[in-house]
Amino acid sequence: MFDEIKRVLITIKAYPNPSKKYGETVCVAGVDIDTHKWIRLYPIPFRDLDENKKFKKYNIIEVKVEKSKDDHRPESFKIDTDSIKILNHFDTVKDKKWNQRKEIVFSHIDKSMCEILKENESNKKSLGIFKPANIEFFWEKAAEKDESDREACYAQHDLFKKEKNVIENIPFDFRYKFKCSEKPDCPGHDYLIIDWEIGQSYRSWRNNYSSQELLLEKIKERWYTRICSDKNDIYFFVGNMKRFPNNFMILGTFYPPKI
């Protein structure tokens, strides 16, 4: 029963992923603004939602939830998608700048990625945010996936839903390599980026460039040169996988200008 109501500042939206159980879904996470705890909302069939329910990052939404019974990560909740209401949006323009976002996000900063991994071992912590250092950005060819399997997931679940194109696999894995800024003996980390925005940028920008090399350099210019600029106070949102709780990924970036 979806008998609990949450108000959530959305900070994370992962790239859509089809599954045999749920069809095309998106993993979304953010901060419960009443309890000040991380919360993961899954599964969300985002492209099937009514237009007035398609929230953006840094929207505050109200939604009915229940604790997930098949996902033992403490932050994971299932939602009643029909109950989604968009209440507000924290933008970065005019006098507001980044202040509204920072007020909530900065109250949840972890000491380091190394510390998040320790907390994952002790209390199953599966979401966090921390400050990285010595950041590198690179890409590699993604492992080939069975497209017929992918299309079958859509065919199985889309009979009574809105017609939509199959959202394709991105042929490259984009990654950040970094160390923890607050831990001098950090051995270093190398994580996959699964933010919706980077996948969508690849799909949206590819027709604007004459070669794949130029497209990839443009993505690097955005996610490394600009976002990780010395002018920005850069943080990484991270989360792990349900089936592989030791495997963390970069879910998004938070980069307010330095004051």
Side-chain angles (χ1 to χ4, degrees), residues 39-41 66-68 71-78 126:
I39 182 170
R40 176 186 291 104
L41 305 174
E66 65 174 0
K67 186 66 186 76
S68 178
D71 185 343
H72 300 296
R73 293 175 292 181
E75 305 92 343
S76 296
F77 287 76
K78 289 188 175 180
S126 67

Side-chain angles (χ1 to χ4, degrees), residues 1-8 10 19 21-23 25-29 32 38-45 49 55 61-84 127 242:
M1 290 289 293
F2 298 102
D3 53 3
E4 189 175 0
I5 296 176
K6 296 283 190 183
R7 293 188 302 153
V8 181
I10 302 298
S19 75
K21 185 174 182 179
Y22 296 114
T25 61
V26 172
C27 182
V28 170
D32 181 329
W38 289 111
I39 182 170
R40 176 186 291 104
L41 305 174
Y42 182 85
I44 297 180
L49 295 178
F55 52 84
I61 68 169
E62 181 181 276
V63 64
K64 291 181 180 179
V65 304
E66 65 174 0
K67 186 66 186 76
S68 178
K69 296 179 178 62
D70 58 358
D71 185 343
H72 300 296
R73 293 175 292 181
E75 305 92 343
S76 296
F77 287 76
K78 289 188 175 180
I79 78 167
D80 173 7
T81 54
D82 290 335
S83 72
I84 294 172
L127 290 169
K242 174 185 169 184

Side-chain angles (χ1 to χ4, degrees), residues 7-64:
R7 293 188 302 153
V8 181
L9 174 67
I10 302 298
T11 60
I12 295 160
K13 283 172 66 182
Y15 192 72
N17 185 51
S19 75
K20 291 181 179 178
K21 185 174 182 179
Y22 296 114
E24 182 190 280
T25 61
V26 172
C27 182
V28 170
V31 178
D32 181 329
I33 63 174
D34 296 308
T35 65
H36 303 286
K37 293 180 179 179
W38 289 111
I39 182 170
R40 176 186 291 104
L41 305 174
Y42 182 85
I44 297 180
F46 193 82
R47 290 202 294 162
D48 291 321
L49 295 178
D50 293 338
E51 290 301 318
N52 66 340
K53 299 183 185 300
K54 289 185 177 178
F55 52 84
K56 302 184 293 186
K57 287 204 290 188
Y58 300 103
N59 276 161
I60 292 178
I61 68 169
E62 181 181 276
V63 64
K64 291 181 180 179

